[in-house]
PDB file of all heavy atoms in Angstrom:
ATOM      1  N   ARG A   1      -0.064  -0.490 -16.732  1.00  0.00           N
ATOM      2  CA  ARG A   1      -0.535   0.782 -16.118  1.00  0.00           C
ATOM      3  C   ARG A   1      -0.462   1.879 -17.019  1.00  0.00           C
ATOM      4  O   ARG A   1      -1.414   2.836 -16.974  1.00  0.00           O
ATOM      5  CB  ARG A   1       0.427   1.004 -14.860  1.00  0.00           C
ATOM      6  CG  ARG A   1       0.045   2.181 -14.018  1.00  0.00           C
ATOM      7  CD  ARG A   1       0.970   2.356 -12.896  1.00  0.00           C
ATOM      8  NE  ARG A   1       1.258   1.307 -12.060  1.00  0.00           N
ATOM      9  CZ  ARG A   1       0.521   0.918 -11.112  1.00  0.00           C
ATOM     10  NH1 ARG A   1      -0.581   1.548 -10.721  1.00  0.00           N
ATOM     11  NH2 ARG A   1       0.932  -0.192 -10.422  1.00  0.00           N
ATOM     12  N   GLY A   2       0.645   2.112 -17.735  1.00  0.00           N
ATOM     13  CA  GLY A   2       0.861   3.223 -18.637  1.00  0.00           C
ATOM     14  C   GLY A   2      -0.319   3.207 -19.760  1.00  0.00           C
ATOM     15  O   GLY A   2      -0.672   4.225 -20.221  1.00  0.00           O
ATOM     16  N   MET A   3      -0.784   2.049 -20.200  1.00  0.00           N
ATOM     17  CA  MET A   3      -1.854   1.910 -21.313  1.00  0.00           C
ATOM     18  C   MET A   3      -3.191   2.154 -20.685  1.00  0.00           C
ATOM     19  O   MET A   3      -4.020   2.660 -21.580  1.00  0.00           O
ATOM     20  CB  MET A   3      -1.785   0.446 -21.724  1.00  0.00           C
ATOM     21  CG  MET A   3      -0.647   0.154 -22.826  1.00  0.00           C
ATOM     22  SD  MET A   3      -0.964  -1.449 -23.533  1.00  0.00           S
ATOM     23  CE  MET A   3       0.307  -2.229 -22.705  1.00  0.00           C
ATOM     24  N   LEU A   4      -3.436   1.818 -19.369  1.00  0.00           N
ATOM     25  CA  LEU A   4      -4.688   1.823 -18.784  1.00  0.00           C
ATOM     26  C   LEU A   4      -5.076   2.987 -17.966  1.00  0.00           C
ATOM     27  O   LEU A   4      -6.124   3.504 -18.101  1.00  0.00           O
ATOM     28  CB  LEU A   4      -5.112   0.528 -18.217  1.00  0.00           C
ATOM     29  CG  LEU A   4      -4.915  -0.690 -19.059  1.00  0.00           C
ATOM     30  CD1 LEU A   4      -5.174  -1.910 -18.345  1.00  0.00           C
ATOM     31  CD2 LEU A   4      -5.944  -0.610 -20.296  1.00  0.00           C
ATOM     32  N   VAL A   5      -4.088   3.237 -17.058  1.00  0.00           N
ATOM     33  CA  VAL A   5      -4.334   4.345 -15.987  1.00  0.00           C
ATOM     34  C   VAL A   5      -4.118   5.756 -16.570  1.00  0.00           C
ATOM     35  O   VAL A   5      -4.906   6.566 -16.415  1.00  0.00           O
ATOM     36  CB  VAL A   5      -3.524   3.963 -14.778  1.00  0.00           C
ATOM     37  CG1 VAL A   5      -3.662   5.115 -13.641  1.00  0.00           C
ATOM     38  CG2 VAL A   5      -3.888   2.661 -14.098  1.00  0.00           C
ATOM     39  N   ARG A   6      -2.933   5.945 -16.985  1.00  0.00           N
ATOM     40  CA  ARG A   6      -2.660   7.309 -17.507  1.00  0.00           C
ATOM     41  C   ARG A   6      -3.581   7.969 -18.643  1.00  0.00           C
ATOM     42  O   ARG A   6      -3.878   9.028 -18.367  1.00  0.00           O
ATOM     43  CB  ARG A   6      -1.257   7.285 -18.020  1.00  0.00           C
ATOM     44  CG  ARG A   6      -0.210   7.032 -16.891  1.00  0.00           C
ATOM     45  CD  ARG A   6       1.230   7.223 -17.359  1.00  0.00           C
ATOM     46  NE  ARG A   6       2.097   6.707 -16.375  1.00  0.00           N
ATOM     47  CZ  ARG A   6       2.888   5.547 -16.402  1.00  0.00           C
ATOM     48  NH1 ARG A   6       2.845   4.821 -17.461  1.00  0.00           N
ATOM     49  NH2 ARG A   6       3.642   5.126 -15.446  1.00  0.00           N
ATOM     50  N   PRO A   7      -4.089   7.141 -19.448  1.00  0.00           N
ATOM     51  CA  PRO A   7      -5.210   7.755 -20.407  1.00  0.00           C
ATOM     52  C   PRO A   7      -6.488   7.730 -19.702  1.00  0.00           C
ATOM     53  O   PRO A   7      -7.330   8.250 -20.423  1.00  0.00           O
ATOM     54  CB  PRO A   7      -5.125   6.689 -21.550  1.00  0.00           C
ATOM     55  CG  PRO A   7      -3.948   5.869 -21.430  1.00  0.00           C
ATOM     56  CD  PRO A   7      -3.544   5.859 -20.041  1.00  0.00           C
ATOM     57  N   GLY A   8      -6.653   7.037 -18.593  1.00  0.00           N
ATOM     58  CA  GLY A   8      -8.020   7.159 -17.960  1.00  0.00           C
ATOM     59  C   GLY A   8      -8.965   6.059 -18.227  1.00  0.00           C
ATOM     60  O   GLY A   8     -10.164   6.154 -17.976  1.00  0.00           O
ATOM     61  N   HIS A   9      -8.425   4.946 -18.724  1.00  0.00           N
ATOM     62  CA  HIS A   9      -9.387   3.781 -19.009  1.00  0.00           C
ATOM     63  C   HIS A   9      -9.866   3.053 -17.736  1.00  0.00           C
ATOM     64  O   HIS A   9     -10.875   2.613 -17.630  1.00  0.00           O
ATOM     65  CB  HIS A   9      -8.742   2.821 -20.055  1.00  0.00           C
ATOM     66  CG  HIS A   9      -8.385   3.358 -21.312  1.00  0.00           C
ATOM     67  ND1 HIS A   9      -9.321   3.693 -22.266  1.00  0.00           N
ATOM     68  CD2 HIS A   9      -7.174   3.637 -21.901  1.00  0.00           C
ATOM     69  CE1 HIS A   9      -8.780   4.158 -23.312  1.00  0.00           C
ATOM     70  NE2 HIS A   9      -7.424   4.143 -23.136  1.00  0.00           N
ATOM     71  N   ILE A  10      -8.937   3.181 -16.873  1.00  0.00           N
ATOM     72  CA  ILE A  10      -9.184   2.444 -15.528  1.00  0.00           C
ATOM     73  C   ILE A  10      -8.532   3.425 -14.384  1.00  0.00           C
ATOM     74  O   ILE A  10      -7.544   3.963 -14.594  1.00  0.00           O
ATOM     75  CB  ILE A  10      -8.425   1.130 -15.416  1.00  0.00           C
ATOM     76  CG1 ILE A  10      -8.959   0.084 -16.377  1.00  0.00           C
ATOM     77  CG2 ILE A  10      -8.518   0.525 -13.925  1.00  0.00           C
ATOM     78  CD1 ILE A  10      -8.293  -1.266 -16.462  1.00  0.00           C
ATOM     79  N   ALA A  11      -9.406   3.447 -13.248  1.00  0.00           N
ATOM     80  CA  ALA A  11      -8.848   4.379 -12.207  1.00  0.00           C
ATOM     81  C   ALA A  11      -7.672   3.597 -11.584  1.00  0.00           C
ATOM     82  O   ALA A  11      -7.625   2.474 -11.525  1.00  0.00           O
ATOM     83  CB  ALA A  11     -10.050   4.342 -11.119  1.00  0.00           C
ATOM     84  N   GLU A  12      -6.717   4.578 -11.065  1.00  0.00           N
ATOM     85  CA  GLU A  12      -5.509   3.971 -10.419  1.00  0.00           C
ATOM     86  C   GLU A  12      -5.736   3.113  -9.319  1.00  0.00           C
ATOM     87  O   GLU A  12      -5.208   2.003  -9.039  1.00  0.00           O
ATOM     88  CB  GLU A  12      -4.557   5.196 -10.014  1.00  0.00           C
ATOM     89  CG  GLU A  12      -3.301   4.672  -9.584  1.00  0.00           C
ATOM     90  CD  GLU A  12      -2.265   5.749  -9.499  1.00  0.00           C
ATOM     91  OE1 GLU A  12      -2.537   6.926  -9.590  1.00  0.00           O
ATOM     92  OE2 GLU A  12      -1.103   5.377  -9.385  1.00  0.00           O
ATOM     93  N   ALA A  13      -6.717   3.447  -8.387  1.00  0.00           N
ATOM     94  CA  ALA A  13      -7.041   2.637  -7.285  1.00  0.00           C
ATOM     95  C   ALA A  13      -7.575   1.176  -7.641  1.00  0.00           C
ATOM     96  O   ALA A  13      -7.129   0.214  -7.055  1.00  0.00           O
ATOM     97  CB  ALA A  13      -8.046   3.302  -6.483  1.00  0.00           C
ATOM     98  N   ASP A  14      -8.447   1.086  -8.779  1.00  0.00           N
ATOM     99  CA  ASP A  14      -8.961  -0.073  -9.134  1.00  0.00           C
ATOM    100  C   ASP A  14      -7.736  -0.881  -9.837  1.00  0.00           C
ATOM    101  O   ASP A  14      -7.657  -2.174  -9.559  1.00  0.00           O
ATOM    102  CB  ASP A  14      -9.906   0.207 -10.337  1.00  0.00           C
ATOM    103  CG  ASP A  14     -11.337   0.627  -9.710  1.00  0.00           C
ATOM    104  OD1 ASP A  14     -11.544   0.430  -8.567  1.00  0.00           O
ATOM    105  OD2 ASP A  14     -12.090   1.247 -10.501  1.00  0.00           O
ATOM    106  N   PHE A  15      -6.901  -0.300 -10.537  1.00  0.00           N
ATOM    107  CA  PHE A  15      -5.613  -0.980 -11.140  1.00  0.00           C
ATOM    108  C   PHE A  15      -4.907  -1.541  -9.963  1.00  0.00           C
ATOM    109  O   PHE A  15      -4.399  -2.639 -10.063  1.00  0.00           O
ATOM    110  CB  PHE A  15      -4.918  -0.065 -12.072  1.00  0.00           C
ATOM    111  CG  PHE A  15      -3.783  -0.805 -12.706  1.00  0.00           C
ATOM    112  CD1 PHE A  15      -4.156  -1.319 -13.970  1.00  0.00           C
ATOM    113  CD2 PHE A  15      -2.541  -0.797 -12.241  1.00  0.00           C
ATOM    114  CE1 PHE A  15      -3.031  -1.966 -14.720  1.00  0.00           C
ATOM    115  CE2 PHE A  15      -1.491  -1.545 -12.866  1.00  0.00           C
ATOM    116  CZ  PHE A  15      -1.799  -2.163 -14.096  1.00  0.00           C
ATOM    117  N   ASN A  16      -4.515  -0.803  -8.944  1.00  0.00           N
ATOM    118  CA  ASN A  16      -3.713  -1.189  -7.837  1.00  0.00           C
ATOM    119  C   ASN A  16      -4.357  -2.426  -7.245  1.00  0.00           C
ATOM    120  O   ASN A  16      -3.770  -3.297  -6.893  1.00  0.00           O
ATOM    121  CB  ASN A  16      -3.390  -0.040  -6.916  1.00  0.00           C
ATOM    122  CG  ASN A  16      -2.556   1.098  -7.571  1.00  0.00           C
ATOM    123  OD1 ASN A  16      -1.872   0.736  -8.506  1.00  0.00           O
ATOM    124  ND2 ASN A  16      -2.530   2.186  -6.955  1.00  0.00           N
ATOM    125  N   LEU A  17      -5.543  -2.379  -6.953  1.00  0.00           N
ATOM    126  CA  LEU A  17      -6.261  -3.626  -6.309  1.00  0.00           C
ATOM    127  C   LEU A  17      -6.221  -4.778  -7.122  1.00  0.00           C
ATOM    128  O   LEU A  17      -5.952  -5.871  -6.605  1.00  0.00           O
ATOM    129  CB  LEU A  17      -7.752  -3.169  -6.052  1.00  0.00           C
ATOM    130  CG  LEU A  17      -7.995  -2.208  -4.824  1.00  0.00           C
ATOM    131  CD1 LEU A  17      -9.516  -1.793  -4.765  1.00  0.00           C
ATOM    132  CD2 LEU A  17      -7.525  -2.758  -3.522  1.00  0.00           C
ATOM    133  N   ALA A  18      -6.334  -4.649  -8.556  1.00  0.00           N
ATOM    134  CA  ALA A  18      -6.214  -5.791  -9.429  1.00  0.00           C
ATOM    135  C   ALA A  18      -4.833  -6.301  -9.333  1.00  0.00           C
ATOM    136  O   ALA A  18      -4.509  -7.459  -9.481  1.00  0.00           O
ATOM    137  CB  ALA A  18      -6.635  -5.287 -10.767  1.00  0.00           C
ATOM    138  N   ALA A  19      -3.696  -5.349  -9.285  1.00  0.00           N
ATOM    139  CA  ALA A  19      -2.454  -5.874  -9.358  1.00  0.00           C
ATOM    140  C   ALA A  19      -2.211  -6.545  -8.212  1.00  0.00           C
ATOM    141  O   ALA A  19      -1.468  -7.576  -8.148  1.00  0.00           O
ATOM    142  CB  ALA A  19      -1.387  -4.528  -9.498  1.00  0.00           C
ATOM    143  N   GLU A  20      -2.605  -6.122  -6.964  1.00  0.00           N
ATOM    144  CA  GLU A  20      -2.515  -6.760  -5.683  1.00  0.00           C
ATOM    145  C   GLU A  20      -2.970  -8.139  -5.747  1.00  0.00           C
ATOM    146  O   GLU A  20      -2.386  -9.212  -5.346  1.00  0.00           O
ATOM    147  CB  GLU A  20      -2.923  -6.038  -4.532  1.00  0.00           C
ATOM    148  CG  GLU A  20      -2.668  -6.597  -3.097  1.00  0.00           C
ATOM    149  CD  GLU A  20      -1.084  -6.673  -2.881  1.00  0.00           C
ATOM    150  OE1 GLU A  20      -0.307  -5.776  -3.423  1.00  0.00           O
ATOM    151  OE2 GLU A  20      -0.647  -7.718  -2.210  1.00  0.00           O
ATOM    152  N   GLU A  21      -4.285  -8.300  -6.133  1.00  0.00           N
ATOM    153  CA  GLU A  21      -5.010  -9.548  -6.396  1.00  0.00           C
ATOM    154  C   GLU A  21      -4.176 -10.444  -7.243  1.00  0.00           C
ATOM    155  O   GLU A  21      -4.189 -11.690  -7.035  1.00  0.00           O
ATOM    156  CB  GLU A  21      -6.421  -9.240  -6.792  1.00  0.00           C
ATOM    157  CG  GLU A  21      -7.367 -10.492  -6.746  1.00  0.00           C
ATOM    158  CD  GLU A  21      -8.786 -10.151  -7.062  1.00  0.00           C
ATOM    159  OE1 GLU A  21      -9.254  -9.059  -6.745  1.00  0.00           O
ATOM    160  OE2 GLU A  21      -9.409 -10.916  -7.756  1.00  0.00           O
ATOM    161  N   SER A  22      -3.767 -10.053  -8.328  1.00  0.00           N
ATOM    162  CA  SER A  22      -2.979 -10.713  -9.265  1.00  0.00           C
ATOM    163  C   SER A  22      -1.859 -11.332  -8.518  1.00  0.00           C
ATOM    164  O   SER A  22      -1.484 -12.637  -8.789  1.00  0.00           O
ATOM    165  CB  SER A  22      -2.429  -9.835 -10.480  1.00  0.00           C
ATOM    166  OG  SER A  22      -1.483 -10.428 -11.237  1.00  0.00           O
ATOM    167  N   LYS A  23      -1.072 -10.591  -7.763  1.00  0.00           N
ATOM    168  CA  LYS A  23       0.118 -11.219  -6.958  1.00  0.00           C
ATOM    169  C   LYS A  23      -0.318 -12.342  -6.148  1.00  0.00           C
ATOM    170  O   LYS A  23       0.272 -13.309  -6.048  1.00  0.00           O
ATOM    171  CB  LYS A  23       0.838 -10.099  -6.247  1.00  0.00           C
ATOM    172  CG  LYS A  23       1.801  -9.297  -6.974  1.00  0.00           C
ATOM    173  CD  LYS A  23       2.399  -8.325  -6.085  1.00  0.00           C
ATOM    174  CE  LYS A  23       3.291  -7.169  -6.776  1.00  0.00           C
ATOM    175  NZ  LYS A  23       3.797  -6.360  -5.857  1.00  0.00           N
ATOM    176  N   GLU A  24      -1.376 -11.904  -5.341  1.00  0.00           N
ATOM    177  CA  GLU A  24      -1.882 -12.897  -4.192  1.00  0.00           C
ATOM    178  C   GLU A  24      -2.339 -14.239  -4.816  1.00  0.00           C
ATOM    179  O   GLU A  24      -2.174 -15.254  -4.298  1.00  0.00           O
ATOM    180  CB  GLU A  24      -3.070 -12.177  -3.448  1.00  0.00           C
ATOM    181  CG  GLU A  24      -2.497 -11.175  -2.534  1.00  0.00           C
ATOM    182  CD  GLU A  24      -3.723 -10.377  -1.915  1.00  0.00           C
ATOM    183  OE1 GLU A  24      -4.947 -10.729  -2.096  1.00  0.00           O
ATOM    184  OE2 GLU A  24      -3.349  -9.531  -1.241  1.00  0.00           O
ATOM    185  N   GLN A  25      -3.046 -14.131  -6.027  1.00  0.00           N
ATOM    186  CA  GLN A  25      -3.629 -15.270  -6.669  1.00  0.00           C
ATOM    187  C   GLN A  25      -2.747 -16.023  -7.634  1.00  0.00           C
ATOM    188  O   GLN A  25      -3.053 -17.069  -8.083  1.00  0.00           O
ATOM    189  CB  GLN A  25      -5.008 -14.992  -7.206  1.00  0.00           C
ATOM    190  CG  GLN A  25      -6.040 -14.515  -6.227  1.00  0.00           C
ATOM    191  CD  GLN A  25      -7.361 -14.208  -6.785  1.00  0.00           C
ATOM    192  OE1 GLN A  25      -7.645 -14.506  -8.040  1.00  0.00           O
ATOM    193  NE2 GLN A  25      -8.389 -13.605  -6.129  1.00  0.00           N
ATOM    194  N   GLY A  26      -1.714 -15.327  -8.047  1.00  0.00           N
ATOM    195  CA  GLY A  26      -0.811 -15.956  -9.115  1.00  0.00           C
ATOM    196  C   GLY A  26      -1.508 -16.016 -10.319  1.00  0.00           C
ATOM    197  O   GLY A  26      -1.224 -16.710 -11.199  1.00  0.00           O
ATOM    198  N   LYS A  27      -2.413 -15.029 -10.659  1.00  0.00           N
ATOM    199  CA  LYS A  27      -3.210 -14.890 -11.844  1.00  0.00           C
ATOM    200  C   LYS A  27      -2.655 -13.649 -12.632  1.00  0.00           C
ATOM    201  O   LYS A  27      -2.063 -12.746 -12.121  1.00  0.00           O
ATOM    202  CB  LYS A  27      -4.731 -14.825 -11.713  1.00  0.00           C
ATOM    203  CG  LYS A  27      -5.396 -15.993 -11.058  1.00  0.00           C
ATOM    204  CD  LYS A  27      -6.786 -15.672 -10.726  1.00  0.00           C
ATOM    205  CE  LYS A  27      -7.639 -15.561 -11.974  1.00  0.00           C
ATOM    206  NZ  LYS A  27      -9.016 -15.377 -11.578  1.00  0.00           N
ATOM    207  N   ASN A  28      -2.836 -13.673 -13.934  1.00  0.00           N
ATOM    208  CA  ASN A  28      -2.381 -12.560 -14.755  1.00  0.00           C
ATOM    209  C   ASN A  28      -3.277 -11.390 -14.477  1.00  0.00           C
ATOM    210  O   ASN A  28      -4.492 -11.568 -14.345  1.00  0.00           O
ATOM    211  CB  ASN A  28      -2.547 -12.869 -16.353  1.00  0.00           C
ATOM    212  CG  ASN A  28      -1.533 -13.914 -16.864  1.00  0.00           C
ATOM    213  OD1 ASN A  28      -0.510 -13.914 -16.323  1.00  0.00           O
ATOM    214  ND2 ASN A  28      -2.010 -14.616 -17.846  1.00  0.00           N
ATOM    215  N   ILE A  29      -2.757 -10.157 -14.367  1.00  0.00           N
ATOM    216  CA  ILE A  29      -3.472  -8.982 -14.037  1.00  0.00           C
ATOM    217  C   ILE A  29      -4.427  -8.717 -15.216  1.00  0.00           C
ATOM    218  O   ILE A  29      -5.677  -8.228 -14.913  1.00  0.00           O
ATOM    219  CB  ILE A  29      -2.569  -7.776 -13.774  1.00  0.00           C
ATOM    220  CG1 ILE A  29      -3.478  -6.666 -13.387  1.00  0.00           C
ATOM    221  CG2 ILE A  29      -1.803  -7.582 -15.082  1.00  0.00           C
ATOM    222  CD1 ILE A  29      -2.574  -5.497 -12.800  1.00  0.00           C
ATOM    223  N   GLU A  30      -4.260  -9.078 -16.343  1.00  0.00           N
ATOM    224  CA  GLU A  30      -5.219  -8.889 -17.425  1.00  0.00           C
ATOM    225  C   GLU A  30      -6.493  -9.591 -17.194  1.00  0.00           C
ATOM    226  O   GLU A  30      -7.546  -9.074 -17.487  1.00  0.00           O
ATOM    227  CB  GLU A  30      -4.528  -9.286 -18.800  1.00  0.00           C
ATOM    228  CG  GLU A  30      -3.398  -8.509 -19.290  1.00  0.00           C
ATOM    229  CD  GLU A  30      -2.028  -9.170 -18.917  1.00  0.00           C
ATOM    230  OE1 GLU A  30      -1.939  -9.863 -17.965  1.00  0.00           O
ATOM    231  OE2 GLU A  30      -1.171  -8.912 -19.544  1.00  0.00           O
ATOM    232  N   ASP A  31      -6.335 -10.916 -16.822  1.00  0.00           N
ATOM    233  CA  ASP A  31      -7.491 -11.723 -16.400  1.00  0.00           C
ATOM    234  C   ASP A  31      -8.262 -11.165 -15.238  1.00  0.00           C
ATOM    235  O   ASP A  31      -9.607 -11.068 -15.261  1.00  0.00           O
ATOM    236  CB  ASP A  31      -7.126 -13.041 -16.123  1.00  0.00           C
ATOM    237  CG  ASP A  31      -6.473 -13.938 -17.244  1.00  0.00           C
ATOM    238  OD1 ASP A  31      -6.925 -13.490 -18.438  1.00  0.00           O
ATOM    239  OD2 ASP A  31      -5.850 -14.921 -17.100  1.00  0.00           O
ATOM    240  N   ILE A  32      -7.723 -10.602 -14.265  1.00  0.00           N
ATOM    241  CA  ILE A  32      -8.336  -9.942 -13.076  1.00  0.00           C
ATOM    242  C   ILE A  32      -9.031  -8.763 -13.529  1.00  0.00           C
ATOM    243  O   ILE A  32     -10.224  -8.495 -13.226  1.00  0.00           O
ATOM    244  CB  ILE A  32      -7.271  -9.521 -12.061  1.00  0.00           C
ATOM    245  CG1 ILE A  32      -6.474 -10.804 -11.518  1.00  0.00           C
ATOM    246  CG2 ILE A  32      -7.915  -8.874 -10.899  1.00  0.00           C
ATOM    247  CD1 ILE A  32      -7.205 -11.641 -10.579  1.00  0.00           C
ATOM    248  N   LEU A  33      -8.535  -7.935 -14.457  1.00  0.00           N
ATOM    249  CA  LEU A  33      -9.064  -6.828 -14.814  1.00  0.00           C
ATOM    250  C   LEU A  33     -10.365  -7.031 -15.488  1.00  0.00           C
ATOM    251  O   LEU A  33     -11.458  -6.348 -15.424  1.00  0.00           O
ATOM    252  CB  LEU A  33      -8.241  -5.787 -15.719  1.00  0.00           C
ATOM    253  CG  LEU A  33      -6.842  -5.255 -14.965  1.00  0.00           C
ATOM    254  CD1 LEU A  33      -5.962  -4.776 -16.084  1.00  0.00           C
ATOM    255  CD2 LEU A  33      -7.357  -4.173 -13.983  1.00  0.00           C
TER     256      LEU A  33
END
């Protein structure tokens, strides 16, 4: 999150959705992004 959201590479809402999907699917968040 610190690498991608704070500098503005990814919107926080998009990151949060990807993080949630990562938890639900048991996949790495990097792969989801």
Side-chain angles (χ1 to χ4, degrees):
R1 181 186 309 278
M3 280 184 255
L4 301 176
V5 174
R6 291 185 192 111
H9 298 291
I10 295 176
E12 186 166 13
D14 290 334
F15 186 90
N16 291 340
L17 287 172
E20 187 61 35
E21 190 173 322
S22 169
K23 279 184 190 177
E24 290 171 1
Q25 295 182 11
K27 291 175 69 176
N28 289 332
I29 187 170
E30 296 93 332
D31 292 336
I32 302 284
L33 294 168

